[in-house]
């Protein structure tokens, strides 16, 4: 069973770790390595459970463990996101997520949004 968005694979063979532990470990590893950047919105518990062919309680257990470890954070009805490690990083991730949401609503392509962000950063960080 594999998740297309997160590239999570669950090994159901005998002797492999429990599915929730496999899911927890893979999300944690991807978050720490940056493959899942801070602010990345994770699928809903039900959505990921369906995608992986797991029970919703299994995914919920993994999400609870990840949240307890500070790897992810739940923002109420807004969803579950990969948490930033530090306060400034957390704030920057939230701002980046808001920008991404706004760019998408405006109909910008990913390339156009990246170009706009890069231009704004160059202007802000330019030597005086």
């Amino acid at each position: 069973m594999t998740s297309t968005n997160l590239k999570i694979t669950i090994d159901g063979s005998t002797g492999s770790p429990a599915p929730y532990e496999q899911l927890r470990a893979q999300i944690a590893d991807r978050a720490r390595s940056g493959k899942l950047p801070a602010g990345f919105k994770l699928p809903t518990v039900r959505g990921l459970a369906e995608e992986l062919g797991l029970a919703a309680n299994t995914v919920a257990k993994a999400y609870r463990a990840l949240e307890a470890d500070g790897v992810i954070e739940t923002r109420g009805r807004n969803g579950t996101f990969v948490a930033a490690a530090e306060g400034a990083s957390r704030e920057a991730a939230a701002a980046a997520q808001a920008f991404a949401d706004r760019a998408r609503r405006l109909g910008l392509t990913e390339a156009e949004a990246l170009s706009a962000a890069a231009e704004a950063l160059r202007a802000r960080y330019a030597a005086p």
Side-chain angles (χ1 to χ4, degrees):
M1 298 169 277
T2 302
S3 161
T4 54
N5 293 341
L6 298 177
K7 308 252 188 298
I8 300 286
T9 301
I10 303 298
D11 181 0
S13 64
T14 306
S16 60
Y20 93 89
E21 177 56 27
Q22 292 179 53
L23 179 59
R24 186 210 59 77
Q26 289 180 57
I27 290 175
D29 289 345
R30 283 172 176 71
R32 286 188 193 102
S33 71
K35 289 180 184 172
L36 289 178
F40 180 86
K41 186 174 183 178
L42 295 168
T44 64
V45 167
R46 279 193 186 137
L48 187 55
E50 287 177 18
E51 201 173 328
L52 292 171
L54 298 173
N57 284 340
T58 300
V59 175
K61 185 175 182 178
Y63 275 20
R64 282 192 303 273
L66 288 162
E67 191 162 25
D69 292 343
V71 175
I72 65 172
E73 60 186 8
T74 301
R75 300 179 191 164
R77 289 185 165 178
N78 291 323
T80 303
F81 299 83
V82 173
E86 302 169 9
S89 295
R90 185 181 310 269
E91 194 171 326
Q97 186 65 49
F99 170 77
D101 292 343
R102 178 68 184 220
R104 179 92 184 224
R105 281 193 308 272
L106 291 171
L108 297 177
T109 65
E110 183 177 350
E112 291 168 334
L114 285 170
S115 176
E119 193 173 311
L121 288 168
R122 271 193 300 276
R124 176 57 61 192
Y125 285 94

